[in-house]
Coordinates of all heavy atoms in Angstrom, one line a residue:
M1 N -17.7 -12.1 10.5 CA -17.4 -13.5 10.4 C -17.5 -14.0 9.0 O -18.4 -13.6 8.3 CB -18.4 -14.3 11.3 CG -18.0 -15.7 11.6 SD -19.2 -16.6 12.4 CE -18.8 -16.2 14.1
K2 N -16.6 -14.8 8.6 CA -16.6 -15.4 7.3 C -17.7 -16.4 7.1 O -18.2 -16.9 8.0 CB -15.3 -16.1 7.0 CG -14.1 -15.1 6.8 CD -12.8 -15.9 6.6 CE -11.6 -15.0 6.6 NZ -10.4 -15.7 6.4
C3 N -18.0 -16.6 5.8 CA -19.1 -17.6 5.5 C -18.7 -18.9 6.0 O -17.5 -19.3 5.9 CB -19.2 -17.7 4.0 SG -19.9 -16.1 3.2
H4 N -19.6 -19.6 6.6 CA -19.3 -21.0 7.1 C -20.6 -21.8 7.1 O -21.7 -21.3 7.0 CB -18.6 -20.9 8.4 CG -19.5 -20.3 9.5 ND1 -19.7 -18.9 9.6 CD2 -20.2 -20.8 10.6 CE1 -20.5 -18.7 10.6 NE2 -20.8 -19.8 11.2
Y5 N -20.3 -23.1 7.4 CA -21.5 -24.0 7.5 C -21.7 -24.3 9.0 O -20.7 -24.4 9.8 CB -21.2 -25.3 6.8 CG -21.3 -25.1 5.3 CD1 -20.2 -25.1 4.5 CD2 -22.6 -25.1 4.7 CE1 -20.3 -24.9 3.1 CE2 -22.7 -24.9 3.3 CZ -21.5 -24.9 2.5 OH -21.7 -24.7 1.2
I6 N -22.9 -24.6 9.4 CA -23.1 -25.1 10.7 C -24.0 -26.4 10.5 O -24.5 -26.5 9.4 CB -23.9 -24.2 11.7 CG1 -25.2 -23.7 11.1 CG2 -23.0 -23.0 12.0 CD1 -26.2 -23.2 12.1
Y7 N -23.9 -27.3 11.5 CA -24.7 -28.5 11.4 C -25.8 -28.5 12.4 O -25.5 -28.3 13.6 CB -23.8 -29.7 11.5 CG -22.9 -29.8 10.3 CD1 -21.7 -29.3 10.3 CD2 -23.3 -30.6 9.1 CE1 -20.8 -29.4 9.2 CE2 -22.5 -30.7 8.0 CZ -21.3 -30.1 8.1 OH -20.5 -30.2 7.0
T8 N -27.0 -28.7 12.0 CA -28.1 -28.7 12.9 C -28.1 -30.0 13.7 O -27.4 -30.9 13.3 CB -29.5 -28.5 12.2 OG1 -29.7 -29.6 11.4 CG2 -29.5 -27.2 11.4
Q9 N -28.9 -30.1 14.7 CA -29.1 -31.4 15.5 C -29.6 -32.5 14.6 O -29.2 -33.6 14.9 CB -30.0 -31.1 16.6 CG -29.4 -30.3 17.7 CD -30.3 -30.1 18.9 OE1 -31.6 -30.2 18.8 NE2 -29.8 -29.8 20.1
D10 N -30.2 -32.2 13.5 CA -30.8 -33.2 12.6 C -29.7 -33.6 11.6 O -29.9 -34.4 10.7 CB -32.0 -32.7 11.9 CG -33.1 -32.2 12.8 OD1 -33.2 -32.7 13.9 OD2 -33.8 -31.2 12.4
G11 N -28.5 -33.0 11.7 CA -27.4 -33.3 10.8 C -27.5 -32.5 9.5 O -26.8 -32.9 8.5
L12 N -28.3 -31.5 9.4 CA -28.4 -30.7 8.2 C -27.3 -29.7 8.2 O -27.0 -29.1 9.2 CB -29.8 -29.9 8.2 CG -31.0 -30.8 7.8 CD1 -32.3 -30.0 8.0 CD2 -30.9 -31.2 6.3
K13 N -26.8 -29.5 7.0 CA -25.7 -28.6 6.7 C -26.4 -27.2 6.4 O -27.1 -27.2 5.4 CB -24.9 -29.1 5.6 CG -23.5 -28.5 5.5 CD -22.8 -29.2 4.3 CE -21.4 -28.6 4.0 NZ -20.8 -29.3 2.8
V14 N -26.1 -26.2 7.1 CA -26.7 -24.9 6.9 C -25.6 -23.9 6.6 O -24.7 -23.7 7.5 CB -27.6 -24.5 8.0 CG1 -28.2 -23.1 7.7 CG2 -28.7 -25.5 8.2
L15 N -25.8 -23.2 5.5 CA -24.8 -22.1 5.2 C -25.1 -20.8 5.9 O -26.2 -20.4 5.9 CB -24.8 -21.9 3.6 CG -24.0 -20.7 3.1 CD1 -22.5 -21.0 3.3 CD2 -24.2 -20.6 1.6
I16 N -24.1 -20.3 6.6 CA -24.2 -19.1 7.3 C -23.4 -18.0 6.5 O -22.2 -18.0 6.5 CB -23.7 -19.1 8.7 CG1 -24.4 -20.2 9.5 CG2 -23.9 -17.8 9.4 CD1 -25.9 -20.1 9.7
P17 N -24.1 -17.1 5.8 CA -23.3 -16.2 5.0 C -22.6 -15.1 5.8 O -23.1 -14.7 6.8 CB -24.4 -15.5 4.1 CG -25.7 -16.3 4.3 CD -25.5 -17.0 5.7
G18 N -21.5 -14.7 5.3 CA -20.7 -13.7 6.0 C -20.5 -12.5 5.1 O -20.0 -11.5 5.6
C19 N -20.8 -12.7 3.9 CA -20.7 -11.5 3.0 C -21.9 -11.4 2.1 O -22.7 -12.3 2.0 CB -19.5 -11.7 2.1 SG -19.5 -13.3 1.2
M20 N -22.1 -10.2 1.5 CA -23.3 -9.9 0.7 C -23.4 -10.9 -0.5 O -24.5 -11.4 -0.8 CB -23.3 -8.5 0.2 CG -23.9 -7.5 1.1 SD -25.5 -8.0 1.8 CE -26.5 -7.7 0.3
A21 N -22.3 -11.3 -1.1 CA -22.3 -12.1 -2.3 C -23.0 -13.4 -2.0 O -23.8 -13.9 -2.7 CB -20.9 -12.3 -2.8
V22 N -22.6 -14.0 -0.9 CA -23.2 -15.4 -0.5 C -24.6 -15.2 0.1 O -25.4 -16.0 -0.2 CB -22.3 -16.1 0.5 CG1 -22.9 -17.3 1.1 CG2 -20.9 -16.4 -0.2
A23 N -24.8 -14.1 0.7 CA -26.1 -13.8 1.3 C -27.2 -13.7 0.2 O -28.3 -14.2 0.3 CB -26.2 -12.5 2.1
V24 N -26.7 -13.2 -1.0 CA -27.6 -13.1 -2.1 C -27.7 -14.4 -2.9 O -28.8 -14.8 -3.2 CB -27.1 -12.0 -3.1 CG1 -27.9 -11.9 -4.4 CG2 -27.2 -10.6 -2.4
S25 N -26.6 -15.1 -3.2 CA -26.6 -16.2 -4.0 C -26.9 -17.5 -3.3 O -27.3 -18.5 -3.9 CB -25.3 -16.3 -4.8 OG -24.3 -16.7 -4.0
G26 N -26.5 -17.5 -2.0 CA -26.6 -18.8 -1.3 C -25.6 -19.8 -1.6 O -25.7 -21.0 -1.3
D27 N -24.6 -19.4 -2.4 CA -23.5 -20.3 -2.8 C -22.2 -19.9 -2.3 O -21.7 -18.8 -2.5 CB -23.5 -20.3 -4.4 CG -22.5 -21.4 -4.9 OD1 -21.7 -21.9 -4.1 OD2 -22.5 -21.5 -6.1
I28 N -21.6 -20.7 -1.5 CA -20.3 -20.4 -0.8 C -19.2 -20.1 -1.8 O -18.1 -19.5 -1.5 CB -19.9 -21.4 0.3 CG1 -19.0 -20.8 1.3 CG2 -19.3 -22.6 -0.4 CD1 -18.9 -21.5 2.6
Q29 N -19.3 -20.6 -3.0 CA -18.4 -20.4 -4.1 C -18.2 -18.9 -4.4 O -17.1 -18.4 -4.9 CB -18.8 -21.1 -5.4 CG -18.9 -22.6 -5.3 CD -17.5 -23.3 -5.3 OE1 -16.5 -22.7 -5.7 NE2 -17.5 -24.5 -4.8
D30 N -19.2 -18.1 -4.1 CA -19.2 -16.7 -4.4 C -18.6 -15.9 -3.3 O -18.6 -14.7 -3.4 CB -20.6 -16.2 -4.7 CG -21.3 -16.9 -5.9 OD1 -20.5 -17.2 -6.8 OD2 -22.5 -17.0 -5.9
C31 N -18.1 -16.6 -2.3 CA -17.6 -15.9 -1.1 C -16.5 -14.9 -1.4 O -15.6 -15.2 -2.1 CB -17.1 -16.9 -0.1 SG -16.6 -16.2 1.5
T32 N -16.7 -13.7 -0.8 CA -15.7 -12.6 -1.0 C -15.1 -12.2 0.4 O -14.4 -11.3 0.5 CB -16.3 -11.4 -1.6 OG1 -17.3 -10.9 -0.8 CG2 -16.7 -11.7 -3.0
C33 N -15.4 -13.0 1.4 CA -14.9 -12.7 2.8 C -13.5 -12.4 2.9 O -13.0 -11.5 3.6 CB -15.3 -13.8 3.8 SG -17.1 -13.9 4.1
R34 N -12.7 -13.3 2.2 CA -11.3 -13.2 2.3 C -10.7 -11.9 1.7 O -9.7 -11.4 2.2 CB -10.6 -14.4 1.6 CG -9.9 -15.3 2.6 CD -9.5 -16.6 2.0 NE -10.4 -17.6 2.2 CZ -10.4 -18.8 1.6 NH1 -9.5 -19.1 0.6 NH2 -11.3 -19.7 1.8
N35 N -11.5 -11.4 0.8 CA -11.0 -10.1 0.1 C -11.4 -8.9 0.9 O -10.9 -7.8 0.7 CB -11.6 -10.0 -1.3 CG -11.2 -11.2 -2.1 OD1 -10.1 -11.7 -1.9 ND2 -12.0 -11.6 -3.1
E36 N -12.4 -9.1 1.7 CA -12.9 -7.9 2.5 C -12.1 -7.6 3.7 O -11.9 -8.5 4.5 CB -14.3 -8.1 2.9 CG -15.3 -8.0 1.7 CD -16.7 -8.4 2.1 OE1 -17.0 -8.6 3.3 OE2 -17.6 -8.5 1.2
L37 N -11.6 -6.4 3.8 CA -10.8 -6.0 4.9 C -11.7 -5.4 6.0 O -12.7 -4.8 5.6 CB -9.8 -4.9 4.5 CG -8.7 -5.4 3.4 CD1 -7.9 -4.2 3.0 CD2 -7.9 -6.5 4.0
T38 N -11.3 -5.6 7.2 CA -12.1 -4.9 8.3 C -11.7 -3.5 8.2 O -10.7 -3.1 7.6 CB -11.7 -5.5 9.6 OG1 -10.3 -5.3 9.9 CG2 -11.9 -7.0 9.7
E39 N -12.4 -2.6 8.9 CA -12.2 -1.2 8.9 C -10.8 -0.9 9.4 O -10.0 -0.1 8.8 CB -13.2 -0.5 9.7 CG -13.3 1.0 9.5 CD -14.4 1.6 10.2 OE1 -15.5 0.9 10.5 OE2 -14.3 2.8 10.6
R40 N -10.4 -1.7 10.4 CA -9.1 -1.5 11.0 C -8.0 -1.9 10.0 O -6.9 -1.2 9.8 CB -9.0 -2.3 12.3 CG -7.9 -1.9 13.2 CD -7.7 -2.9 14.3 NE -6.5 -2.6 15.1 CZ -6.6 -1.9 16.2 NH1 -7.6 -1.4 16.7 NH2 -5.4 -1.7 16.8
Q41 N -8.2 -3.1 9.3 CA -7.1 -3.5 8.4 C -7.1 -2.5 7.2 O -6.0 -2.3 6.7 CB -7.6 -4.9 7.9 CG -7.3 -6.0 8.8 CD -7.9 -7.3 8.2 OE1 -9.0 -7.4 7.7 NE2 -7.2 -8.4 8.5
F42 N -8.3 -2.0 6.8 CA -8.3 -1.1 5.7 C -7.5 0.2 6.0 O -6.6 0.7 5.3 CB -9.7 -0.7 5.4 CG -9.8 0.3 4.3 CD1 -9.7 -0.1 2.9 CD2 -10.1 1.6 4.5 CE1 -9.8 0.8 1.9 CE2 -10.2 2.5 3.5 CZ -10.1 2.2 2.2
E43 N -7.7 0.7 7.2 CA -7.0 1.9 7.7 C -5.5 1.7 7.8 O -4.7 2.5 7.4 CB -7.5 2.3 9.1 CG -8.8 3.1 9.0 CD -9.4 3.5 10.4 OE1 -8.8 3.2 11.4 OE2 -10.5 4.0 10.4
R44 N -5.2 0.5 8.2 CA -3.8 0.2 8.3 C -3.1 0.1 7.0 O -2.0 0.6 6.8 CB -3.6 -1.2 9.1 CG -2.3 -1.5 9.5 CD -2.2 -2.8 10.2 NE -0.8 -3.2 10.4 CZ -0.1 -2.9 11.4 NH1 -0.6 -2.1 12.4 NH2 1.2 -3.2 11.5
K45 N -3.8 -0.6 6.0 CA -3.4 -0.7 4.7 C -3.2 0.7 4.1 O -2.2 1.0 3.5 CB -4.3 -1.5 3.8 CG -3.7 -1.9 2.5 CD -4.7 -2.7 1.7 CE -4.2 -3.0 0.3 NZ -3.8 -1.8 -0.5
E46 N -4.2 1.6 4.3 CA -4.2 2.9 3.7 C -3.0 3.7 4.3 O -2.3 4.4 3.6 CB -5.5 3.6 4.2 CG -5.8 4.9 3.5 CD -6.7 4.7 2.3 OE1 -6.5 3.6 1.6 OE2 -7.6 5.5 2.1
Y47 N -2.7 3.5 5.6 CA -1.6 4.2 6.3 C -0.3 3.7 5.7 O 0.6 4.5 5.4 CB -1.7 3.8 7.8 CG -0.6 4.3 8.6 CD1 -0.4 5.6 9.0 CD2 0.4 3.3 8.9 CE1 0.6 6.0 9.8 CE2 1.5 3.8 9.7 CZ 1.6 5.1 10.1 OH 2.7 5.5 10.8
N48 N -0.2 2.3 5.6 CA 1.1 1.8 5.1 C 1.4 2.2 3.6 O 2.5 2.5 3.3 CB 1.1 0.2 5.2 CG 1.2 -0.3 6.6 OD1 1.7 0.4 7.4 ND2 0.8 -1.5 6.8
D49 N 0.3 2.3 2.8 CA 0.4 2.7 1.4 C 0.9 4.2 1.4 O 1.7 4.5 0.5 CB -0.9 2.6 0.7 CG -1.2 1.1 0.4 OD1 -0.3 0.2 0.6 OD2 -2.3 0.9 -0.1
T50 N 0.3 5.0 2.3 CA 0.7 6.4 2.3 C 2.2 6.5 2.8 O 2.9 7.3 2.1 CB -0.2 7.1 3.3 OG1 -1.5 7.0 3.0 CG2 0.1 8.6 3.3
V51 N 2.6 5.8 3.8 CA 4.0 5.9 4.2 C 4.9 5.4 3.1 O 5.9 6.1 2.8 CB 4.2 5.0 5.4 CG1 5.7 4.8 5.8 CG2 3.4 5.5 6.7
K52 N 4.5 4.4 2.4 CA 5.3 3.9 1.3 C 5.5 4.9 0.2 O 6.6 5.1 -0.3 CB 4.6 2.6 0.7 CG 5.6 1.6 0.1 CD 4.8 0.3 -0.2 CE 5.5 -0.5 -1.3 NZ 4.7 -1.6 -1.7
A53 N 4.4 5.6 -0.1 CA 4.4 6.6 -1.2 C 5.2 7.7 -0.8 O 6.0 8.3 -1.6 CB 3.0 7.0 -1.5
L54 N 5.2 8.2 0.5 CA 6.0 9.3 1.0 C 7.5 9.0 1.0 O 8.3 9.8 0.7 CB 5.5 9.7 2.4 CG 4.1 10.4 2.4 CD1 3.6 10.6 3.8 CD2 4.2 11.8 1.6
R55 N 7.7 7.7 1.4 CA 9.2 7.3 1.4 C 9.7 7.3 0.0 O 10.9 7.7 -0.2 CB 9.3 5.9 2.0 CG 9.2 5.8 3.5 CD 9.8 4.6 4.1 NE 9.7 4.7 5.5 CZ 9.3 3.7 6.3 NH1 8.9 2.6 5.7 NH2 9.3 3.8 7.6
K56 N 8.9 6.9 -1.0 CA 9.4 6.9 -2.4 C 9.6 8.4 -2.8 O 10.6 8.6 -3.5 CB 8.3 6.3 -3.2 CG 8.7 5.9 -4.7 CD 7.6 5.1 -5.3 CE 7.9 4.9 -6.8 NZ 7.5 6.1 -7.6
E57 N 8.7 9.2 -2.4 CA 8.9 10.6 -2.8 C 10.1 11.2 -2.2 O 10.9 11.9 -2.9 CB 7.6 11.4 -2.3 CG 7.4 12.6 -3.1 CD 6.1 13.3 -2.6 OE1 5.1 12.6 -2.4 OE2 6.1 14.6 -2.6
I58 N 10.4 10.9 -1.0 CA 11.6 11.4 -0.3 C 12.9 10.9 -1.0 O 13.8 11.6 -1.3 CB 11.6 10.9 1.2 CG1 10.6 11.7 2.0 CG2 13.0 11.1 1.8 CD1 10.3 11.1 3.4
K59 N 12.9 9.6 -1.3 CA 14.0 9.0 -2.0 C 14.3 9.7 -3.4 O 15.4 10.1 -3.7 CB 13.7 7.5 -2.3 CG 14.9 6.7 -2.6 CD 14.7 5.3 -2.6 CE 15.8 4.4 -3.1 NZ 15.9 4.4 -4.6
E60 N 13.2 10.0 -4.1 CA 13.3 10.7 -5.4 C 13.8 12.1 -5.2 O 14.6 12.6 -6.0 CB 11.9 10.8 -6.1 CG 11.6 9.4 -6.7 CD 10.1 9.3 -7.2 OE1 9.3 10.3 -7.0 OE2 9.7 8.3 -7.7
L61 N 13.4 12.8 -4.1 CA 13.8 14.1 -3.8 C 15.3 14.2 -3.4 O 16.0 15.1 -3.8 CB 13.0 14.8 -2.8 CG 11.6 15.2 -3.2 CD1 10.7 15.6 -2.0 CD2 11.6 16.4 -4.2
E62 N 15.7 13.1 -2.7 CA 17.1 13.0 -2.3 C 18.0 12.8 -3.5 O 19.1 13.4 -3.6 CB 17.2 11.9 -1.3 CG 16.9 12.2 0.1 CD 16.9 11.1 1.1 OE1 17.1 10.0 0.6 OE2 16.8 11.4 2.3
E63 N 17.5 12.0 -4.4 CA 18.3 11.8 -5.6 C 18.4 13.0 -6.5 O 19.5 13.4 -7.0 CB 17.6 10.7 -6.5 CG 17.9 9.3 -6.0 CD 17.1 8.2 -6.6 OE1 16.2 8.5 -7.5 OE2 17.1 7.1 -6.1
E64 N 17.3 13.8 -6.5 CA 17.2 15.0 -7.3 C 18.2 16.0 -6.7 O 18.9 16.7 -7.3 CB 15.8 15.6 -7.3 CG 15.6 16.6 -8.4 CD 14.2 17.2 -8.3 OE1 13.3 16.4 -8.0 OE2 14.1 18.4 -8.6
N65 N 18.2 16.0 -5.3 CA 19.0 17.0 -4.6 C 20.5 16.7 -4.9 O 21.3 17.6 -5.0 CB 18.7 16.8 -3.0 CG 19.3 17.8 -2.2 OD1 19.5 19.0 -2.7 ND2 19.6 17.5 -1.0
A66 N 20.9 15.4 -4.8 CA 22.2 15.0 -5.1 C 22.7 15.4 -6.5 O 23.8 15.8 -6.7 CB 22.4 13.4 -4.9
E67 N 21.7 15.2 -7.4 CA 22.0 15.6 -8.8 C 22.3 17.1 -8.9 O 23.2 17.5 -9.6 CB 20.8 15.2 -9.7 CG 21.2 14.8 -11.1 CD 19.9 14.2 -11.7 OE1 19.6 13.0 -11.4 OE2 19.3 14.9 -12.6
L68 N 21.4 17.9 -8.3 CA 21.5 19.3 -8.3 C 22.8 19.8 -7.7 O 23.5 20.7 -8.1 CB 20.3 20.0 -7.7 CG 19.0 19.9 -8.4 CD1 17.8 20.4 -7.6 CD2 19.1 20.7 -9.8
N69 N 23.2 19.1 -6.5 CA 24.4 19.4 -5.8 C 25.6 19.2 -6.7 O 26.6 20.0 -6.7 CB 24.6 18.6 -4.5 CG 23.8 19.2 -3.4 OD1 23.7 20.5 -3.3 ND2 23.4 18.5 -2.4
H70 N 25.5 18.1 -7.5 CA 26.6 17.8 -8.4 C 26.7 18.9 -9.5 O 27.8 19.3 -9.8 CB 26.3 16.5 -9.1 CG 27.4 15.9 -9.9 ND1 28.5 15.4 -9.3 CD2 27.5 15.7 -11.2 CE1 29.3 15.0 -10.3 NE2 28.7 15.2 -11.5
I71 N 25.6 19.3 -10.0 CA 25.6 20.4 -11.0 C 26.2 21.7 -10.4 O 27.1 22.3 -11.1 CB 24.2 20.6 -11.6 CG1 23.8 19.4 -12.4 CG2 24.1 21.9 -12.4 CD1 22.3 19.4 -12.7
I72 N 25.8 22.0 -9.2 CA 26.3 23.2 -8.6 C 27.8 23.2 -8.4 O 28.5 24.1 -8.6 CB 25.6 23.4 -7.2 CG1 24.1 23.9 -7.4 CG2 26.3 24.5 -6.4 CD1 23.2 23.8 -6.2
E73 N 28.2 22.0 -8.0 CA 29.7 21.8 -7.7 C 30.5 22.0 -9.0 O 31.5 22.6 -9.1 CB 29.9 20.3 -7.3 CG 31.1 20.1 -6.4 CD 31.1 18.8 -5.8 OE1 30.3 18.5 -5.0 OE2 31.9 17.9 -6.2
K74 N 29.9 21.4 -10.1 CA 30.6 21.5 -11.5 C 30.6 23.0 -11.9 O 31.7 23.5 -12.3 CB 29.7 20.8 -12.5 CG 30.2 19.4 -12.9 CD 29.3 18.9 -13.9 CE 29.8 17.6 -14.6 NZ 28.8 17.2 -15.6
L75 N 29.5 23.7 -11.7 CA 29.5 25.1 -12.1 C 30.4 26.0 -11.2 O 31.1 26.9 -11.7 CB 28.0 25.7 -12.0 CG 27.0 25.1 -13.0 CD1 25.6 25.6 -12.7 CD2 27.4 25.7 -14.4
T76 N 30.5 25.7 -10.0 CA 31.4 26.4 -9.1 C 32.8 26.2 -9.5 O 33.6 27.2 -9.5 CB 31.1 25.9 -7.6 OG1 29.8 26.0 -7.4 CG2 31.9 26.8 -6.6
T77 N 33.2 25.0 -9.8 CA 34.5 24.7 -10.2 C 34.9 25.5 -11.5 O 35.9 26.1 -11.6 CB 34.7 23.2 -10.5 OG1 34.1 22.4 -9.4 CG2 36.1 22.7 -10.6
K78 N 33.9 25.4 -12.4 CA 34.1 26.1 -13.7 C 34.3 27.6 -13.5 O 35.2 28.3 -14.0 CB 32.9 25.9 -14.6 CG 33.1 25.6 -16.0 CD 31.8 25.4 -16.7 CE 31.9 24.8 -18.1 NZ 30.6 24.6 -18.7
W79 N 33.4 28.2 -12.6 CA 33.4 29.6 -12.3 C 34.8 30.0 -11.6 O 35.4 31.0 -12.0 CB 32.3 29.9 -11.4 CG 32.2 31.4 -11.0 CD1 31.7 32.4 -11.7 CD2 32.6 31.9 -9.7 NE1 31.8 33.5 -11.1 CE2 32.3 33.3 -9.8 CE3 33.2 31.4 -8.5 CZ2 32.6 34.2 -8.7 CZ3 33.5 32.3 -7.5 CH2 33.2 33.6 -7.6
K80 N 35.3 29.2 -10.7 CA 36.5 29.4 -10.1 C 37.7 29.5 -11.0 O 38.6 30.3 -11.0 CB 36.8 28.4 -9.0 CG 36.1 28.7 -7.7 CD 36.5 27.6 -6.6 CE 35.7 27.9 -5.3 NZ 35.8 26.7 -4.4
K81 N 37.6 28.5 -12.0 CA 38.7 28.4 -13.0 C 38.7 29.7 -13.9 O 39.7 30.3 -14.2 CB 38.4 27.2 -13.9 CG 39.2 26.0 -13.5 CD 39.0 24.9 -14.6 CE 39.4 23.5 -14.1 NZ 38.9 22.5 -15.0
N82 N 37.4 30.1 -14.3 CA 37.3 31.3 -15.1 C 37.7 32.6 -14.4 O 38.2 33.5 -15.1 CB 35.8 31.4 -15.6 CG 35.5 30.4 -16.6 OD1 36.4 29.8 -17.3 ND2 34.2 30.1 -16.8
T83 N 37.4 32.7 -13.2 CA 37.8 33.9 -12.4 C 39.3 34.0 -12.2 O 39.8 35.1 -12.1 CB 37.0 34.1 -11.1 OG1 37.2 32.8 -10.4 CG2 35.6 34.3 -11.3
K84 N 39.9 32.9 -12.1 CA 41.4 32.9 -11.9 C 42.1 33.4 -13.2 O 43.1 34.1 -13.1 CB 41.9 31.5 -11.6 CG 41.9 31.2 -10.1 CD 42.5 29.8 -9.9 CE 42.2 29.3 -8.4 NZ 42.5 27.9 -8.3
A85 N 41.6 33.0 -14.3 CA 42.2 33.3 -15.6 C 42.2 34.8 -15.9 O 41.4 35.5 -15.5 CB 41.7 32.5 -16.8
Ligands
ZN101 ZN1 -18.3 -14.9 2.4

């Protein structure tokens, strides 16, 4: 749970810390709750980052493959011309 305030029956405002930063300082300004990912969110982020990195790698390999195919094609054409002569 994120840091929040509760009000007692006496009308007192009481800070309920949700993160270590606020638990230590007692100041909600130091709250880091929004930056903290739950374990599930973290795993999901990790997963998405990995998928993204792999997709990028695939794209680069496809580009390299296309480039190499182009070179092979050129060389084959050259070789065919040379063998005919
Ligand atoms: Zn907090």
Side-chain angles (χ1 to χ4, degrees):
M1 194 187 275
K2 289 178 182 178
C3 296
H4 63 285
Y5 287 103
I6 57 160
Y7 292 90
T8 65
Q9 284 179 339
D10 307 329
L12 281 172
K13 199 175 173 186
V14 180
L15 176 62
I16 306 297
C19 55
M20 273 310 289
V22 172
V24 171
S25 73
D27 186 349
I28 203 160
Q29 299 281 343
D30 297 330
C31 182
T32 58
C33 289
R34 252 171 258 169
N35 302 330
E36 283 174 13
L37 299 176
T38 63
E39 200 174 326
R40 200 188 169 96
Q41 283 172 324
F42 179 78
E43 279 175 3
R44 195 181 166 85
K45 193 182 176 301
E46 196 94 319
Y47 172 82
N48 286 338
D49 286 350
T50 305
V51 169
K52 209 173 159 189
L54 289 173
R55 281 201 177 131
K56 190 171 174 278
E57 204 176 321
I58 288 169
K59 197 172 172 276
E60 284 168 1
L61 287 171
E62 278 175 351
E63 281 168 4
E64 195 182 326
N65 191 32
E67 212 170 287
L68 289 171
N69 275 334
H70 188 69
I71 291 169
I72 289 167
E73 209 173 290
K74 262 184 170 176
L75 288 172
T76 308
T77 311
K78 222 179 193 178
W79 179 77
K80 276 182 185 168
K81 268 188 195 167
N82 287 339
T83 49
K84 267 185 196 168

